[in-house]
Short mmCIF file of all heavy atoms in Angstrom, two decimals:
data_model
loop_
_atom_site.label_atom_id
_atom_site.label_comp_id
_atom_site.label_asym_id
_atom_site.label_seq_id
_atom_site.Cartn_x
_atom_site.Cartn_y
_atom_site.Cartn_z
N MET I 4 -9.82 -14.18 -2.58
CA MET I 4 -9.00 -13.31 -1.78
C MET I 4 -9.46 -11.86 -1.97
O MET I 4 -9.82 -11.46 -3.06
CB MET I 4 -7.54 -13.46 -2.18
CG MET I 4 -6.62 -12.52 -1.42
SD MET I 4 -4.88 -12.82 -1.74
CE MET I 4 -4.55 -13.92 -0.40
N LYS I 5 -9.42 -11.11 -0.90
CA LYS I 5 -9.83 -9.72 -0.94
C LYS I 5 -8.69 -8.84 -1.44
O LYS I 5 -7.52 -9.15 -1.25
CB LYS I 5 -10.22 -9.25 0.46
CG LYS I 5 -11.39 -9.98 1.05
CD LYS I 5 -11.64 -9.50 2.45
CE LYS I 5 -12.70 -10.36 3.11
NZ LYS I 5 -12.87 -10.02 4.52
N ASN I 6 -9.07 -7.75 -2.07
CA ASN I 6 -8.10 -6.75 -2.49
C ASN I 6 -8.14 -5.57 -1.54
O ASN I 6 -9.15 -5.32 -0.88
CB ASN I 6 -8.38 -6.26 -3.90
CG ASN I 6 -7.97 -7.27 -4.95
OD1 ASN I 6 -7.08 -8.08 -4.72
ND2 ASN I 6 -8.61 -7.24 -6.09
N VAL I 7 -7.03 -4.85 -1.50
CA VAL I 7 -6.90 -3.67 -0.65
C VAL I 7 -6.60 -2.48 -1.56
O VAL I 7 -5.82 -2.59 -2.51
CB VAL I 7 -5.75 -3.87 0.36
CG1 VAL I 7 -5.55 -2.62 1.19
CG2 VAL I 7 -6.03 -5.06 1.24
N LEU I 8 -7.24 -1.35 -1.27
CA LEU I 8 -7.02 -0.12 -2.00
C LEU I 8 -6.18 0.80 -1.12
O LEU I 8 -6.58 1.12 0.00
CB LEU I 8 -8.35 0.54 -2.36
CG LEU I 8 -8.30 1.83 -3.15
CD1 LEU I 8 -7.60 1.61 -4.49
CD2 LEU I 8 -9.71 2.35 -3.37
N ILE I 9 -5.02 1.19 -1.62
CA ILE I 9 -4.11 2.06 -0.88
C ILE I 9 -4.10 3.42 -1.56
O ILE I 9 -3.69 3.54 -2.72
CB ILE I 9 -2.69 1.47 -0.84
CG1 ILE I 9 -2.72 0.05 -0.28
CG2 ILE I 9 -1.76 2.37 -0.04
CD1 ILE I 9 -1.39 -0.68 -0.40
N HIS I 10 -4.58 4.43 -0.86
CA HIS I 10 -4.59 5.80 -1.38
C HIS I 10 -3.26 6.44 -0.99
O HIS I 10 -2.91 6.46 0.19
CB HIS I 10 -5.74 6.61 -0.77
CG HIS I 10 -7.08 6.02 -1.03
ND1 HIS I 10 -7.76 6.20 -2.22
CD2 HIS I 10 -7.87 5.22 -0.27
CE1 HIS I 10 -8.92 5.56 -2.16
NE2 HIS I 10 -9.01 4.95 -0.98
N MET I 11 -2.55 6.95 -2.00
CA MET I 11 -1.20 7.47 -1.75
C MET I 11 -1.04 8.90 -2.26
O MET I 11 -1.78 9.35 -3.13
CB MET I 11 -0.17 6.57 -2.42
CG MET I 11 -0.25 5.13 -1.94
SD MET I 11 1.10 4.13 -2.54
CE MET I 11 2.46 4.87 -1.66
N LYS I 12 -0.05 9.58 -1.70
CA LYS I 12 0.28 10.94 -2.11
C LYS I 12 0.82 10.94 -3.54
O LYS I 12 1.42 9.96 -3.99
CB LYS I 12 1.33 11.52 -1.16
CG LYS I 12 0.83 11.59 0.26
CD LYS I 12 1.92 12.00 1.21
CE LYS I 12 1.33 11.98 2.62
NZ LYS I 12 2.31 12.02 3.67
N GLU I 13 0.63 12.05 -4.23
CA GLU I 13 1.11 12.19 -5.61
C GLU I 13 2.61 11.95 -5.72
O GLU I 13 3.09 11.42 -6.72
CB GLU I 13 0.83 13.60 -6.14
CG GLU I 13 -0.59 13.85 -6.54
CD GLU I 13 -0.76 15.25 -7.08
OE1 GLU I 13 -0.78 16.19 -6.27
OE2 GLU I 13 -0.86 15.38 -8.32
N SER I 14 3.33 12.31 -4.70
CA SER I 14 4.79 12.17 -4.73
C SER I 14 5.24 10.70 -4.78
O SER I 14 6.42 10.43 -5.02
CB SER I 14 5.42 12.87 -3.52
OG SER I 14 4.92 12.32 -2.32
N ALA I 15 4.33 9.77 -4.61
CA ALA I 15 4.67 8.34 -4.63
C ALA I 15 4.66 7.75 -6.03
O ALA I 15 5.00 6.58 -6.21
CB ALA I 15 3.68 7.56 -3.76
N LEU I 16 4.31 8.53 -7.04
CA LEU I 16 4.12 7.97 -8.39
C LEU I 16 5.36 7.23 -8.91
O LEU I 16 5.25 6.09 -9.36
CB LEU I 16 3.71 9.07 -9.37
CG LEU I 16 3.35 8.60 -10.78
CD1 LEU I 16 2.21 7.58 -10.73
CD2 LEU I 16 2.99 9.78 -11.65
N ASP I 17 6.53 7.83 -8.84
CA ASP I 17 7.73 7.16 -9.33
C ASP I 17 8.01 5.88 -8.53
O ASP I 17 8.41 4.86 -9.10
CB ASP I 17 8.94 8.09 -9.27
CG ASP I 17 8.86 9.20 -10.32
OD1 ASP I 17 8.15 9.03 -11.33
OD2 ASP I 17 9.52 10.25 -10.12
N HIS I 18 7.81 5.95 -7.23
CA HIS I 18 8.02 4.79 -6.35
C HIS I 18 7.10 3.63 -6.77
O HIS I 18 7.55 2.49 -6.88
CB HIS I 18 7.75 5.23 -4.90
CG HIS I 18 7.84 4.14 -3.89
ND1 HIS I 18 9.01 3.46 -3.61
CD2 HIS I 18 6.90 3.60 -3.07
CE1 HIS I 18 8.78 2.56 -2.67
NE2 HIS I 18 7.51 2.63 -2.33
N ILE I 19 5.84 3.93 -7.02
CA ILE I 19 4.87 2.89 -7.40
C ILE I 19 5.19 2.33 -8.78
O ILE I 19 5.08 1.12 -9.02
CB ILE I 19 3.43 3.46 -7.34
CG1 ILE I 19 3.07 3.81 -5.90
CG2 ILE I 19 2.42 2.50 -7.93
CD1 ILE I 19 3.22 2.67 -4.91
N LYS I 20 5.62 3.19 -9.70
CA LYS I 20 6.01 2.70 -11.03
C LYS I 20 7.20 1.75 -10.92
O LYS I 20 7.23 0.72 -11.61
CB LYS I 20 6.36 3.87 -11.94
CG LYS I 20 5.17 4.64 -12.44
CD LYS I 20 5.61 5.78 -13.34
CE LYS I 20 4.44 6.55 -13.89
NZ LYS I 20 4.88 7.68 -14.75
N GLU I 21 8.17 2.08 -10.08
CA GLU I 21 9.33 1.21 -9.88
C GLU I 21 8.93 -0.16 -9.33
O GLU I 21 9.53 -1.18 -9.68
CB GLU I 21 10.34 1.85 -8.94
CG GLU I 21 11.09 3.02 -9.52
CD GLU I 21 11.97 3.72 -8.51
OE1 GLU I 21 12.15 3.20 -7.38
OE2 GLU I 21 12.47 4.81 -8.83
N LEU I 22 7.92 -0.18 -8.47
CA LEU I 22 7.45 -1.44 -7.89
C LEU I 22 6.57 -2.23 -8.85
O LEU I 22 6.24 -3.38 -8.59
CB LEU I 22 6.66 -1.15 -6.60
CG LEU I 22 7.46 -0.57 -5.44
CD1 LEU I 22 6.54 -0.18 -4.30
CD2 LEU I 22 8.53 -1.56 -4.97
N ASP I 23 6.17 -1.59 -9.96
CA ASP I 23 5.34 -2.23 -10.99
C ASP I 23 4.01 -2.73 -10.40
O ASP I 23 3.59 -3.86 -10.68
CB ASP I 23 6.10 -3.36 -11.67
CG ASP I 23 5.47 -3.77 -12.99
OD1 ASP I 23 4.85 -2.91 -13.66
OD2 ASP I 23 5.57 -4.96 -13.36
N LEU I 24 3.38 -1.88 -9.58
CA LEU I 24 2.09 -2.23 -8.99
C LEU I 24 0.95 -1.65 -9.81
O LEU I 24 1.11 -0.65 -10.51
CB LEU I 24 2.02 -1.70 -7.55
CG LEU I 24 3.00 -2.31 -6.56
CD1 LEU I 24 2.93 -1.58 -5.23
CD2 LEU I 24 2.71 -3.80 -6.37
N ASN I 25 -0.21 -2.26 -9.72
CA ASN I 25 -1.41 -1.80 -10.40
C ASN I 25 -1.90 -0.52 -9.73
O ASN I 25 -2.19 -0.53 -8.53
CB ASN I 25 -2.48 -2.90 -10.34
CG ASN I 25 -3.74 -2.52 -11.07
OD1 ASN I 25 -3.70 -1.77 -12.02
ND2 ASN I 25 -4.85 -3.07 -10.62
N TYR I 26 -2.01 0.58 -10.48
CA TYR I 26 -2.43 1.84 -9.89
C TYR I 26 -3.27 2.66 -10.86
O TYR I 26 -3.25 2.44 -12.07
CB TYR I 26 -1.21 2.67 -9.45
CG TYR I 26 -0.43 3.26 -10.59
CD1 TYR I 26 -0.70 4.54 -11.06
CD2 TYR I 26 0.57 2.53 -11.23
CE1 TYR I 26 0.01 5.08 -12.11
CE2 TYR I 26 1.29 3.07 -12.28
CZ TYR I 26 1.01 4.34 -12.72
OH TYR I 26 1.70 4.88 -13.77
N VAL I 27 -4.00 3.62 -10.28
CA VAL I 27 -4.74 4.61 -11.04
C VAL I 27 -4.33 5.96 -10.47
O VAL I 27 -4.29 6.14 -9.25
CB VAL I 27 -6.27 4.42 -10.90
CG1 VAL I 27 -7.03 5.53 -11.59
CG2 VAL I 27 -6.69 3.07 -11.43
N TYR I 28 -4.03 6.91 -11.36
CA TYR I 28 -3.59 8.23 -10.92
C TYR I 28 -4.63 9.26 -11.32
O TYR I 28 -5.05 9.31 -12.46
CB TYR I 28 -2.23 8.56 -11.56
CG TYR I 28 -1.71 9.93 -11.23
CD1 TYR I 28 -1.45 10.29 -9.92
CD2 TYR I 28 -1.46 10.85 -12.23
CE1 TYR I 28 -0.95 11.54 -9.61
CE2 TYR I 28 -0.96 12.10 -11.94
CZ TYR I 28 -0.70 12.45 -10.62
OH TYR I 28 -0.21 13.69 -10.33
N GLY I 29 -5.09 10.05 -10.35
CA GLY I 29 -6.06 11.09 -10.63
C GLY I 29 -6.58 11.74 -9.36
O GLY I 29 -6.42 11.20 -8.26
N ASN I 30 -7.17 12.90 -9.50
CA ASN I 30 -7.75 13.63 -8.37
C ASN I 30 -6.74 13.90 -7.26
O ASN I 30 -7.06 13.88 -6.08
CB ASN I 30 -8.96 12.92 -7.79
CG ASN I 30 -10.10 12.84 -8.78
OD1 ASN I 30 -10.30 13.75 -9.58
ND2 ASN I 30 -10.84 11.75 -8.75
N GLY I 31 -5.47 14.11 -7.64
CA GLY I 31 -4.47 14.49 -6.67
C GLY I 31 -3.90 13.37 -5.83
O GLY I 31 -3.19 13.63 -4.86
N GLU I 32 -4.22 12.12 -6.17
CA GLU I 32 -3.64 11.00 -5.43
C GLU I 32 -3.50 9.78 -6.32
O GLU I 32 -4.04 9.73 -7.42
CB GLU I 32 -4.42 10.66 -4.16
CG GLU I 32 -5.73 9.97 -4.36
CD GLU I 32 -6.39 9.59 -3.03
OE1 GLU I 32 -5.90 9.94 -1.96
OE2 GLU I 32 -7.41 8.92 -3.10
N ILE I 33 -2.78 8.80 -5.82
CA ILE I 33 -2.57 7.54 -6.53
C ILE I 33 -3.32 6.46 -5.77
O ILE I 33 -3.22 6.37 -4.54
CB ILE I 33 -1.07 7.20 -6.57
CG1 ILE I 33 -0.31 8.31 -7.27
CG2 ILE I 33 -0.84 5.86 -7.26
CD1 ILE I 33 1.15 8.31 -6.96
N ASP I 34 -4.09 5.66 -6.47
CA ASP I 34 -4.81 4.55 -5.86
C ASP I 34 -4.18 3.24 -6.34
O ASP I 34 -4.18 2.94 -7.53
CB ASP I 34 -6.29 4.57 -6.25
CG ASP I 34 -7.01 5.77 -5.67
OD1 ASP I 34 -6.61 6.26 -4.61
OD2 ASP I 34 -7.99 6.24 -6.30
N VAL I 35 -3.61 2.50 -5.41
CA VAL I 35 -2.93 1.24 -5.70
C VAL I 35 -3.80 0.10 -5.19
O VAL I 35 -4.28 0.14 -4.06
CB VAL I 35 -1.55 1.20 -4.99
CG1 VAL I 35 -0.87 -0.13 -5.25
CG2 VAL I 35 -0.69 2.36 -5.42
N THR I 36 -4.01 -0.91 -6.02
CA THR I 36 -4.79 -2.08 -5.62
C THR I 36 -3.86 -3.29 -5.56
O THR I 36 -3.16 -3.59 -6.53
CB THR I 36 -5.92 -2.34 -6.63
OG1 THR I 36 -6.73 -1.16 -6.74
CG2 THR I 36 -6.80 -3.49 -6.16
N VAL I 37 -3.88 -3.95 -4.40
CA VAL I 37 -3.07 -5.16 -4.19
C VAL I 37 -3.91 -6.20 -3.45
O VAL I 37 -4.86 -5.85 -2.75
CB VAL I 37 -1.79 -4.86 -3.36
CG1 VAL I 37 -0.85 -3.94 -4.12
CG2 VAL I 37 -2.12 -4.30 -2.00
N PRO I 38 -3.59 -7.48 -3.59
CA PRO I 38 -4.27 -8.50 -2.80
C PRO I 38 -3.93 -8.33 -1.32
O PRO I 38 -2.79 -8.02 -0.96
CB PRO I 38 -3.70 -9.82 -3.33
CG PRO I 38 -3.15 -9.51 -4.67
CD PRO I 38 -2.68 -8.08 -4.59
N ASP I 39 -4.91 -8.52 -0.47
CA ASP I 39 -4.70 -8.43 0.98
C ASP I 39 -3.80 -9.58 1.42
O ASP I 39 -3.73 -10.63 0.77
CB ASP I 39 -6.04 -8.50 1.71
CG ASP I 39 -5.97 -7.99 3.13
OD1 ASP I 39 -4.89 -7.52 3.55
OD2 ASP I 39 -7.00 -8.07 3.84
N ILE I 40 -3.10 -9.39 2.52
CA ILE I 40 -2.26 -10.45 3.09
C ILE I 40 -2.80 -10.79 4.47
O ILE I 40 -3.50 -9.99 5.10
CB ILE I 40 -0.79 -10.02 3.18
CG1 ILE I 40 -0.63 -8.80 4.09
CG2 ILE I 40 -0.20 -9.76 1.80
CD1 ILE I 40 0.80 -8.47 4.45
N ASP I 41 -2.45 -11.98 4.93
CA ASP I 41 -2.82 -12.37 6.29
C ASP I 41 -1.96 -11.60 7.28
O ASP I 41 -0.74 -11.50 7.11
CB ASP I 41 -2.63 -13.87 6.50
CG ASP I 41 -3.64 -14.69 5.73
OD1 ASP I 41 -4.76 -14.19 5.49
OD2 ASP I 41 -3.30 -15.83 5.35
N TYR I 42 -2.58 -11.08 8.32
CA TYR I 42 -1.87 -10.35 9.35
C TYR I 42 -1.06 -11.31 10.21
O TYR I 42 -1.54 -12.35 10.62
CB TYR I 42 -2.86 -9.58 10.22
CG TYR I 42 -2.22 -8.90 11.41
CD1 TYR I 42 -1.33 -7.86 11.23
CD2 TYR I 42 -2.51 -9.33 12.69
CE1 TYR I 42 -0.73 -7.24 12.32
CE2 TYR I 42 -1.92 -8.71 13.79
CZ TYR I 42 -1.03 -7.67 13.60
OH TYR I 42 -0.44 -7.06 14.67
N ASP I 43 0.19 -10.97 10.46
CA ASP I 43 1.07 -11.78 11.30
C ASP I 43 1.44 -10.97 12.54
O ASP I 43 2.23 -10.04 12.46
CB ASP I 43 2.33 -12.16 10.52
CG ASP I 43 3.32 -12.96 11.35
OD1 ASP I 43 3.02 -13.30 12.52
OD2 ASP I 43 4.41 -13.25 10.82
N PRO I 44 0.87 -11.29 13.71
CA PRO I 44 1.15 -10.51 14.92
C PRO I 44 2.61 -10.61 15.37
O PRO I 44 3.06 -9.82 16.18
CB PRO I 44 0.21 -11.10 15.96
CG PRO I 44 -0.15 -12.44 15.45
CD PRO I 44 -0.06 -12.38 13.95
N ASN I 45 3.36 -11.56 14.84
CA ASN I 45 4.77 -11.72 15.19
C ASN I 45 5.72 -11.00 14.23
O ASN I 45 6.93 -11.10 14.38
CB ASN I 45 5.13 -13.20 15.25
CG ASN I 45 4.34 -13.93 16.31
OD1 ASN I 45 4.20 -13.44 17.43
ND2 ASN I 45 3.81 -15.08 15.97
N HIS I 46 5.16 -10.30 13.26
CA HIS I 46 5.96 -9.58 12.27
C HIS I 46 6.67 -8.40 12.93
O HIS I 46 6.22 -7.90 13.97
CB HIS I 46 5.03 -9.08 11.15
CG HIS I 46 5.73 -8.62 9.94
ND1 HIS I 46 6.22 -7.35 9.79
CD2 HIS I 46 6.02 -9.26 8.77
CE1 HIS I 46 6.78 -7.22 8.61
NE2 HIS I 46 6.66 -8.37 7.97
N SER I 47 7.76 -7.93 12.35
CA SER I 47 8.48 -6.78 12.91
C SER I 47 7.64 -5.52 12.89
O SER I 47 7.85 -4.61 13.70
CB SER I 47 9.80 -6.56 12.17
OG SER I 47 9.56 -6.28 10.81
N HIS I 48 6.68 -5.42 11.96
CA HIS I 48 5.74 -4.30 11.91
C HIS I 48 4.42 -4.78 12.50
O HIS I 48 3.73 -5.60 11.90
CB HIS I 48 5.51 -3.81 10.48
CG HIS I 48 6.73 -3.21 9.86
ND1 HIS I 48 7.15 -1.94 10.14
CD2 HIS I 48 7.63 -3.71 8.98
CE1 HIS I 48 8.24 -1.67 9.46
NE2 HIS I 48 8.57 -2.75 8.75
N ILE I 49 4.09 -4.30 13.68
CA ILE I 49 2.89 -4.75 14.38
C ILE I 49 1.61 -4.20 13.75
O ILE I 49 0.61 -4.89 13.65
CB ILE I 49 2.95 -4.36 15.88
CG1 ILE I 49 4.18 -4.99 16.53
CG2 ILE I 49 1.69 -4.76 16.62
CD1 ILE I 49 4.24 -6.50 16.47
N ASP I 50 1.66 -2.94 13.29
CA ASP I 50 0.48 -2.32 12.67
C ASP I 50 0.15 -3.05 11.36
O ASP I 50 1.02 -3.21 10.50
CB ASP I 50 0.77 -0.85 12.40
CG ASP I 50 -0.42 -0.14 11.77
OD1 ASP I 50 -1.26 0.38 12.52
OD2 ASP I 50 -0.49 -0.14 10.51
N PRO I 51 -1.10 -3.51 11.19
CA PRO I 51 -1.46 -4.26 9.98
C PRO I 51 -1.23 -3.47 8.69
O PRO I 51 -0.82 -4.04 7.68
CB PRO I 51 -2.95 -4.58 10.16
CG PRO I 51 -3.23 -4.39 11.60
CD PRO I 51 -2.23 -3.42 12.13
N ASP I 52 -1.50 -2.17 8.69
CA ASP I 52 -1.30 -1.36 7.49
C ASP I 52 0.18 -1.23 7.15
O ASP I 52 0.58 -1.34 5.99
CB ASP I 52 -1.92 0.03 7.65
CG ASP I 52 -3.44 0.00 7.66
OD1 ASP I 52 -4.02 -1.03 7.26
OD2 ASP I 52 -4.05 1.01 8.07
N GLU I 53 1.01 -1.01 8.15
CA GLU I 53 2.46 -0.94 7.92
C GLU I 53 2.99 -2.28 7.42
O GLU I 53 3.85 -2.32 6.53
CB GLU I 53 3.19 -0.53 9.19
CG GLU I 53 3.07 0.93 9.53
CD GLU I 53 3.93 1.30 10.72
OE1 GLU I 53 5.17 1.29 10.57
OE2 GLU I 53 3.36 1.58 11.78
N GLN I 54 2.47 -3.36 7.98
CA GLN I 54 2.90 -4.70 7.58
C GLN I 54 2.55 -4.95 6.12
O GLN I 54 3.37 -5.47 5.36
CB GLN I 54 2.21 -5.73 8.48
CG GLN I 54 2.79 -7.10 8.38
CD GLN I 54 2.15 -8.05 9.36
OE1 GLN I 54 1.52 -9.01 8.93
NE2 GLN I 54 2.28 -7.80 10.65
N LEU I 55 1.35 -4.56 5.71
CA LEU I 55 0.92 -4.72 4.32
C LEU I 55 1.86 -3.96 3.39
O LEU I 55 2.34 -4.50 2.40
CB LEU I 55 -0.52 -4.21 4.16
CG LEU I 55 -1.05 -4.22 2.73
CD1 LEU I 55 -1.50 -5.63 2.35
CD2 LEU I 55 -2.19 -3.24 2.58
N CYS I 56 2.14 -2.70 3.72
CA CYS I 56 3.03 -1.89 2.89
C CYS I 56 4.42 -2.48 2.83
O CYS I 56 5.04 -2.53 1.76
CB CYS I 56 3.07 -0.46 3.42
SG CYS I 56 1.52 0.43 3.15
N TYR I 57 4.92 -2.95 3.94
CA TYR I 57 6.25 -3.56 3.99
C TYR I 57 6.32 -4.76 3.03
O TYR I 57 7.29 -4.92 2.29
CB TYR I 57 6.58 -3.98 5.42
CG TYR I 57 7.89 -4.71 5.53
CD1 TYR I 57 9.09 -4.02 5.60
CD2 TYR I 57 7.92 -6.11 5.56
CE1 TYR I 57 10.30 -4.70 5.69
CE2 TYR I 57 9.12 -6.79 5.65
CZ TYR I 57 10.30 -6.08 5.71
OH TYR I 57 11.50 -6.76 5.79
N GLU I 58 5.30 -5.59 3.06
CA GLU I 58 5.29 -6.80 2.23
C GLU I 58 5.32 -6.48 0.74
O GLU I 58 5.84 -7.25 -0.06
CB GLU I 58 4.08 -7.67 2.56
CG GLU I 58 4.13 -8.29 3.94
CD GLU I 58 5.31 -9.24 4.14
OE1 GLU I 58 5.65 -9.99 3.21
OE2 GLU I 58 5.90 -9.20 5.24
N TYR I 59 4.76 -5.33 0.34
CA TYR I 59 4.74 -4.95 -1.07
C TYR I 59 5.83 -3.94 -1.42
O TYR I 59 5.92 -3.50 -2.57
CB TYR I 59 3.36 -4.38 -1.45
CG TYR I 59 2.33 -5.47 -1.61
CD1 TYR I 59 1.38 -5.71 -0.62
CD2 TYR I 59 2.33 -6.29 -2.73
CE1 TYR I 59 0.44 -6.73 -0.76
CE2 TYR I 59 1.40 -7.31 -2.87
CZ TYR I 59 0.45 -7.52 -1.88
OH TYR I 59 -0.47 -8.53 -2.03
N GLY I 60 6.64 -3.55 -0.45
CA GLY I 60 7.72 -2.61 -0.71
C GLY I 60 7.27 -1.16 -0.81
O GLY I 60 7.98 -0.31 -1.34
N ILE I 61 6.08 -0.88 -0.30
CA ILE I 61 5.50 0.47 -0.37
C ILE I 61 5.99 1.29 0.82
O ILE I 61 5.97 0.83 1.96
CB ILE I 61 3.96 0.39 -0.37
CG1 ILE I 61 3.49 -0.31 -1.66
CG2 ILE I 61 3.33 1.76 -0.22
CD1 ILE I 61 2.02 -0.64 -1.67
N ASP I 62 6.38 2.52 0.54
CA ASP I 62 6.81 3.45 1.59
C ASP I 62 5.57 3.91 2.36
O ASP I 62 4.76 4.68 1.84
CB ASP I 62 7.55 4.64 0.98
CG ASP I 62 8.11 5.59 2.00
OD1 ASP I 62 7.71 5.53 3.19
OD2 ASP I 62 8.93 6.44 1.62
N TYR I 63 5.44 3.48 3.61
CA TYR I 63 4.24 3.78 4.41
C TYR I 63 4.08 5.28 4.65
O TYR I 63 2.96 5.76 4.82
CB TYR I 63 4.32 3.03 5.74
CG TYR I 63 3.07 3.18 6.59
CD1 TYR I 63 1.89 2.55 6.20
CD2 TYR I 63 3.08 3.93 7.75
CE1 TYR I 63 0.74 2.68 6.97
CE2 TYR I 63 1.94 4.06 8.53
CZ TYR I 63 0.77 3.43 8.12
OH TYR I 63 -0.37 3.56 8.88
N ASP I 64 5.16 6.04 4.61
CA ASP I 64 5.07 7.48 4.82
C ASP I 64 4.38 8.20 3.66
O ASP I 64 3.99 9.36 3.80
CB ASP I 64 6.47 8.08 5.01
CG ASP I 64 7.11 7.63 6.31
OD1 ASP I 64 6.37 7.33 7.28
OD2 ASP I 64 8.35 7.54 6.36
N LEU I 65 4.21 7.52 2.53
CA LEU I 65 3.54 8.12 1.37
C LEU I 65 2.06 7.73 1.28
O LEU I 65 1.38 8.11 0.33
CB LEU I 65 4.27 7.69 0.08
CG LEU I 65 5.74 8.12 -0.01
CD1 LEU I 65 6.37 7.52 -1.27
CD2 LEU I 65 5.86 9.63 0.00
N VAL I 66 1.57 6.98 2.26
CA VAL I 66 0.19 6.50 2.26
C VAL I 66 -0.75 7.51 2.93
O VAL I 66 -0.45 8.04 3.99
CB VAL I 66 0.11 5.14 3.00
CG1 VAL I 66 -1.33 4.70 3.18
CG2 VAL I 66 0.90 4.09 2.25
N ASN I 67 -1.89 7.78 2.27
CA ASN I 67 -2.94 8.60 2.86
C ASN I 67 -3.87 7.75 3.71
O ASN I 67 -4.16 8.07 4.85
CB ASN I 67 -3.75 9.34 1.78
CG ASN I 67 -2.95 10.42 1.09
OD1 ASN I 67 -2.03 10.99 1.66
ND2 ASN I 67 -3.29 10.69 -0.16
N CYS I 68 -4.37 6.65 3.14
CA CYS I 68 -5.22 5.72 3.88
C CYS I 68 -5.29 4.40 3.13
O CYS I 68 -4.95 4.32 1.95
CB CYS I 68 -6.60 6.30 4.15
SG CYS I 68 -7.68 6.40 2.73
N ILE I 69 -5.77 3.37 3.84
CA ILE I 69 -5.88 2.03 3.27
C ILE I 69 -7.27 1.50 3.59
O ILE I 69 -7.75 1.66 4.72
CB ILE I 69 -4.81 1.09 3.85
CG1 ILE I 69 -3.41 1.60 3.51
CG2 ILE I 69 -5.00 -0.34 3.35
CD1 ILE I 69 -2.28 0.81 4.14
N GLU I 70 -7.92 0.86 2.59
CA GLU I 70 -9.25 0.31 2.81
C GLU I 70 -9.43 -0.95 1.96
O GLU I 70 -8.71 -1.16 0.99
CB GLU I 70 -10.33 1.33 2.47
CG GLU I 70 -10.31 1.77 1.01
CD GLU I 70 -11.33 2.86 0.70
OE1 GLU I 70 -12.37 2.92 1.36
OE2 GLU I 70 -11.07 3.63 -0.23
N LEU I 71 -10.39 -1.79 2.37
CA LEU I 71 -10.71 -2.95 1.55
C LEU I 71 -11.36 -2.48 0.26
O LEU I 71 -12.14 -1.54 0.24
CB LEU I 71 -11.67 -3.88 2.29
CG LEU I 71 -11.07 -4.73 3.39
CD1 LEU I 71 -12.15 -5.52 4.11
CD2 LEU I 71 -10.01 -5.67 2.83
N ALA I 72 -11.01 -3.14 -0.84
CA ALA I 72 -11.55 -2.75 -2.15
C ALA I 72 -12.79 -3.56 -2.46
O ALA I 72 -12.97 -4.64 -2.00
CB ALA I 72 -10.50 -2.95 -3.21
#
């Protein structure tokens, strides 16, 4: 399974700690690594990035960008 790297704003640090996700903090941002999920076009969140964040409980408004790891 592929992993996804989510680059997040510094202000997300407490949020990510509460979710107990694997992260690295440095250079003014937080990098969170999670396993990728299968995209579901019937999900309430149509955008694949928003859907991924929703599934992990991540606030999408705190995301800078998302890429395959």
Side-chain angles (χ1 to χ4, degrees):
M4 177 173 267
K5 297 177 187 174
N6 284 334
V7 177
L8 181 60
I9 305 172
H10 302 279
M11 302 188 68
K12 299 173 182 165
E13 283 182 283
S14 59
L16 186 57
D17 289 337
H18 177 64
I19 295 304
K20 285 180 178 179
E21 288 174 10
L22 294 173
D23 197 30
L24 295 173
N25 182 29
Y26 72 93
V27 175
Y28 177 61
N30 296 325
E32 73 176 6
I33 301 160
D34 294 331
V35 178
T36 304
V37 295
D39 198 3
I40 61 169
D41 290 331
Y42 174 66
D43 178 4
N45 298 316
H46 194 275
S47 61
H48 294 281
I49 301 301
D50 180 89
D52 290 345
E53 285 186 69
Q54 193 176 117
L55 176 80
C56 290
Y57 176 82
E58 292 297 321
Y59 284 103
I61 295 171
D62 184 345
Y63 186 70
D64 292 332
L65 299 175
V66 172
N67 291 333
C68 73
I69 299 175
E70 62 184 331
L71 285 175

